[in-house]
């Protein structure tokens, strides 16, 4: 059984976010759908960039070393617009989804 103990993403999105100069409150987060998997199982690793004033995000390749195999990828974008106190507030979410399979047994980390 392979355990995924750490889902931190350190550099994958640093320097790859193309933001307008008016970008505010930008947040980058990541998550996995499972913390324990077997060899040949698939874990879904999602990286989300969200905030107001974001026009686009250009993702870099995911450097996962030789412990993981990328089975597939997908992406989605959503936008939320609210009018609060007569002022419009807009934010966007960019989701980058990686479907990963472990290449070996043991405790593995998604770098």
């Amino acid at each position: 059984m392979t355990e995924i103990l750490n889902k931190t993403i350190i550099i994958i999105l640093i320097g790859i976010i193309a933001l307008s100069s008016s970008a505010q409150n930008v947040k980058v987060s990541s998550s996995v759908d499972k913390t324990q998997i077997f060899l040949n199982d698939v874990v879904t690793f999602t990286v989300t960039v969200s905030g107001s004033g974001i026009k686009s995000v250009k993702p870099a390749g995911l450097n996962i070393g030789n412990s993981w195999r990328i089975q597939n990828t997908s992406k989605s974008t959503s936008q939320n617009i609210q009018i609060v106190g007569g002022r419009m507030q807009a934010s966007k979410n960019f989701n980058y989804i990686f479907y990963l399979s472990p290449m070996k047994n043991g405790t593995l980390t998604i770098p």
Side-chain angles (χ1 to χ4, degrees):
M1 184 184 308
T2 301
E3 293 185 27
I4 304 168
L5 296 179
N6 187 355
K7 59 179 172 39
T8 36
I9 180 166
I10 298 173
I11 299 180
I12 187 173
L13 291 173
I14 295 176
I16 61 170
I17 302 174
L19 304 173
S20 70
S21 60
S22 64
Q24 301 171 19
N25 303 319
V26 176
K27 179 181 172 186
V28 178
S29 62
S30 64
S31 64
V32 291
D33 67 336
K34 302 173 194 171
T35 57
Q36 294 184 347
I37 59 174
F38 293 96
L39 216 53
N40 298 320
D41 281 350
V42 175
V43 63
T44 303
F45 175 57
T46 303
V47 178
T48 302
V49 180
S50 59
S52 58
I54 300 174
K55 292 186 179 183
S56 66
V57 175
K58 181 181 177 187
L62 180 64
N63 182 5
I64 56 173
N66 59 1
S67 297
W68 298 96
R69 177 184 309 133
I70 298 175
Q71 298 292 341
N72 204 352
T73 62
S74 65
K75 64 181 178 176
S76 66
T77 304
S78 63
Q79 185 169 355
N80 182 29
I81 298 174
Q82 296 178 335
I83 298 178
V84 178
R87 297 187 67 188
M88 184 176 80
Q89 297 176 347
S91 63
K92 282 188 178 179
N93 291 324
F94 296 89
N95 296 304
Y96 295 91
I97 304 163
F98 301 88
Y99 302 93
L100 307 175
S101 290
M103 298 293 289
K104 60 184 179 180
N105 287 319
T107 300
L108 303 177
T109 301
I110 299 172

